[in-house]
Every structure is written in structure tokens, then in C-alpha cells.
Amino acid sequence: KKQIIKMATPMFPGMGGAMPPNMPAQGGPPPSVSDDGKMIDLLSKIEKAQCYARNEASSFPMTNLFIGDSRLGCKSDADEQLILHIEFTEFVKVHSIKLTEFNNGLDPELNPTKINLYVNRENLGFEDCGDVDPTHVLDLTAADLKSSADPIVLRFVKFQRVKSITLFIEDN
């Protein structure tokens, strides 16, 4: 079966960690960054030009994930496996992730059931995913993917200084 994944907005609710614009170019201590602990939508922090997918179907590209339409998604072109690499413009803290079912669940067999998350891993291929331990494993149920479901809380200690997240959709 081919795999379709749809991410909802907010895609990665998390805590901000931006450096202030008055950061000195060189020398001296950096100004302190306030982290007020408020959750923010990290969609605006995604560096879309640096994001990529491996094994995506041309009719369902990764760019569909950033549009916000549940009828669109990213689909594998060959089998259920798909790699999505999401790069951020700065280091962020990620508290949780929200994934939604494709097309309001009309084709539940196309929804992901197992996703491995990798933090700050560049250029992961399918062979690498079998050799590298994931940062976090998501075993998803149909209820987890409902638009009304709560975001999936991650092990926050492992998602403190995130520049990129790679999702390996292993099974559906």
C-alpha cells in the first residue's frame, strides 16, 4: 500500500528559542534569550527551501503539507515508506507534534501507523533508518490522527535544541 501523510497546523507546537535581532556579531556575551514557556506554532520557523522528501509521489509532494488542506497530503510513490526532512530557520524546542489523517479519513489504510523521528540528522536514507536509533517512535492509531485529537507529546528532554526533524514513515 502506498503511504499518505498529512500534517496539521499547528504542525509542531513548541517553545520558541530565537536569538534576538540585536545579537552581537562578535565578542561579548550574547544577550539573554527569554523563554516564557508559551507554546507557539513552528510553521513560520520552517525553512521550506531546505525541506525534502524521499520516495514522494510527484502528484502528492511534500509541499502539500504546508498548505493546510486535509484533502492534500504527501504520498509515497512506490510503497508505504516515506522520509520527510523538516529544517527549521533556528534552533527550537519541540514539545509535541500534530499529525492528521488524509482526506478526513476516507482511506484509513493510507494513514501512517509507525513513524520514527530523528533529531538533527542530515541526509538520512532508507538504509540509514534501519541502522540509526530513532530519537522517538510514534505508534499511531486512527484516533491519534483525528483533527480533534490532542497533539502527541514527545519526550521533551530529547527535543530541546532542534534544527531539523526527519520523519521516517515506516508502515501504514
Side-chain angles (χ1 to χ4, degrees), residues 86-99:
I86 299 167
E87 189 86 22
F88 296 102
T89 58
E90 59 190 78
F91 285 99
V92 297
K93 297 176 183 179
V94 181
H95 174 269
S96 55
I97 185 171
K98 176 65 178 153
L99 303 166

Side-chain angles (χ1 to χ4, degrees), residues 52-152:
Y52 61 84
R54 299 193 193 284
N55 206 26
E56 72 182 324
S58 59
S59 58
F60 288 91
M62 182 180 186
T63 54
N64 285 352
L65 300 178
F66 306 120
I67 294 174
D69 185 339
S70 73
R71 296 170 295 172
L72 302 175
C74 184
K75 186 176 181 180
S76 169
D77 68 350
D79 56 21
E80 70 277 359
Q81 294 189 339
L82 184 66
I83 292 177
L84 303 174
H85 179 79
I86 299 167
E87 189 86 22
F88 296 102
T89 58
E90 59 190 78
F91 285 99
V92 297
K93 297 176 183 179
V94 181
H95 174 269
S96 55
I97 185 171
K98 176 65 178 153
L99 303 166
T100 58
E101 59 196 348
F102 173 70
N103 205 11
N104 295 319
L106 294 178
D107 296 310
E109 68 278 356
L110 297 178
N111 290 325
T113 56
K114 184 174 183 182
I115 300 178
N116 294 338
L117 302 177
Y118 300 88
V119 171
N120 300 333
R121 300 294 301 210
E122 300 295 323
N123 297 314
L124 272 179
F126 291 97
E127 315 78 39
D128 302 318
C129 291
D131 297 336
V132 177
D133 289 334
T135 306
H136 193 93
V137 177
L138 301 174
D139 289 309
L140 302 169
T141 66
D144 293 330
L145 299 173
K146 296 289 183 194
S147 60
S148 60
D150 290 333
I152 300 164

